[in-house]
Amino acid sequence: MDHSGHGEHGMQTDLPPFTLGRGLELSVDPVFLAGCLLGLALYGWAVLRLRRRGDAWPVSRTVFFTVGVLSIALVMCTALNDYGMVMFSVHMVQHMVISMLSPILLLLGAPVTLALRALPPAGRGRTGPRELLLALLHSRYMKIVTHPAFTIPMFIASLYGLYFTPLFDFLMGSRAGHIGMMVHFLAVGLVFFWPIMGVDPGPHRPGYVMRMLELFAGMPFHAFFGIALMMASEPMVRAYADPPASLGISALSDQNAAGGIAWAFSEIPSVLVLIALVFQWYRSEQRQAVRKDRAADRDGDKELEAYNAYLASLQARSR
């Protein structure tokens, strides 16, 4: 793809009309490419370390994490990233994937659990990577940033506080600002979904019903945000108010499309997370039943014996 003609702030002004084929052409962002490769390399190293030790690690978790990293690469290391600088609708696809789909997939890969199992203890009185990770997990900072009183408002503010204020235009004015914004979306998605998914250990461990409530507390705001963009009668974000003529689009129709994407996408993570939660809940109940059966086998089912003795005593009294 030819990116020779750059407008203000390095944005492409000569991009041809958007098609999926053009959007998926390779156009590497070095920061995100390095981050994705590093993430895959560290995860792969940890899995191999467990395997060499003779420990099992579920293949499904490796698949989830890998697909999560690839979903980030898909929106940040292709021409979708170039089109996202000049088309609100494409930017919204990037935002939704990187803040709502990628975090769920990454968290289903249980990277924190894997790190804790793969990193060796530093030894008595010494501090190594494993000890630092444990200290971070138990820190007051982590308790605050994973608490719903923080995560839900932050999740909502990342939409309304960004797009409906001059902050978005400021960040879109430079490459560093754009990268920083995308990293922020990913980070907010991770801290929002981390306690809800409950796969990795963390300071905030709500029950299954509470997790579902946390999930549904944030999602409607995404839908309202999408509806606000769809119903607007004029462009609401200055950065996309004057799209390059080569794209052949109007700012308002592109904004309406962006709103439709934000509205529709809010349902996808809800369904994914609900499926994961119901599955976890079912597995948890199964494990509890197995534990009870084992306990019954060990103590000769004393509970049942005690209950039978109680029934016999009642029968004796009634005679």
Side-chain angles (χ1 to χ4, degrees):
M1 180 173 287
D2 176 29
H3 295 164
S4 56
H6 292 264
E8 194 187 358
H9 308 309
M11 291 187 190
Q12 288 76 35
T13 55
D14 62 345
L15 288 170
F18 179 81
T19 64
L20 190 59
R22 285 172 182 155
L24 294 178
E25 284 179 24
L26 196 66
S27 179
V28 171
D29 180 286
V31 174
F32 274 92
L33 180 65
C36 288
L37 291 175
L38 182 64
L40 288 174
L42 289 172
Y43 196 93
W45 168 83
V47 171
L48 282 174
R49 190 175 167 84
L50 288 191
R51 289 274 160 83
R52 285 200 194 108
R53 209 165 63 196
D55 290 346
W57 182 255
V59 174
S60 59
R61 287 184 174 178
T62 306
V63 171
F64 277 126
F65 188 85
T66 304
V67 174
V69 172
L70 291 176
S71 69
I72 296 170
L74 178 71
V75 294
M76 294 308 301
C77 294
T78 63
L80 289 175
N81 197 31
D82 300 319
Y83 277 103
M85 293 296 286
V86 288
M87 287 181 69
F88 199 2
S89 55
V90 178
H91 167 85
M92 195 54 70
V93 171
Q94 286 182 284
H95 178 167
M96 294 295 130
V97 168
I98 214 165
S99 70
M100 297 174 83
L101 183 61
S102 305
I104 292 169
L105 293 167
L106 293 174
L107 290 166
L108 285 171
V112 177
T113 304
L114 179 62
L116 289 172
R117 284 182 61 186
L119 290 168
R124 187 174 290 178
R126 293 167 67 192
T127 303
R130 190 175 190 278
E131 288 71 23
L132 288 171
L133 179 57
L134 280 169
L136 179 65
L137 287 173
H138 293 116
S139 67
R140 182 179 288 181
Y141 166 78
M142 201 54 82
K143 280 178 185 164
I144 292 168
V145 299
T146 60
H147 194 278
F150 178 87
T151 59
I152 294 169
M154 178 57 77
F155 197 64
I156 296 161
S158 288
L159 284 173
Y160 297 88
L162 188 65
Y163 289 98
F164 297 157
T165 68
L167 182 59
F168 182 80
D169 294 322
F170 171 74
L171 292 171
M172 286 293 286
S174 69
R175 189 171 161 276
H178 184 239
I179 290 168
M181 175 167 47
M182 289 299 174
V183 170
H184 168 79
F185 289 152
L186 180 61
V188 168
L190 286 168
V191 295
F192 178 75
F193 288 111
W194 182 11
I196 294 171
M197 301 305 295
V199 179
D200 274 327
H204 176 57
R205 307 299 281 161
Y208 289 100
V209 174
M210 195 65 207
R211 288 187 210 175
M212 289 179 186
L213 290 174
E214 281 182 37
L215 173 67
F216 290 118
M219 290 303 118
F221 291 95
H222 261 264
F224 296 147
F225 169 75
I227 291 165
L229 289 178
M230 285 162 70
M231 294 182 71
S233 55
E234 58 183 41
M236 296 174 77
V237 179
R238 195 167 60 84
Y240 295 112
D242 189 21
S246 64
L247 291 172
I249 57 168
S250 79
L252 195 57
S253 65
D254 187 47
Q255 178 176 282
N256 291 346
I261 290 161
W263 173 72
F265 216 101
S266 62
E267 303 305 316
I268 296 170
S270 305
V271 172
L272 273 178
V273 175
L274 268 181
I275 292 167
L277 282 180
V278 169
F279 181 70
Q280 285 173 28
W281 202 344
Y282 170 70
R283 288 276 300 274
S284 168
E285 293 292 318
Q286 270 194 323
R287 281 196 296 269
Q288 229 169 341
V290 169
R291 273 198 297 270
K292 281 183 179 172
D293 288 346
R294 280 182 188 155
D297 290 341
R298 272 198 311 271
D299 60 21
D301 222 339
K302 281 179 185 166
E303 255 185 68
L304 187 60
E305 282 176 23
Y307 184 64
N308 286 337
Y310 169 67
L311 289 178
S313 70
L314 288 178
Q315 207 170 3
R317 273 184 219 158
S318 64
R319 280 178 186 165

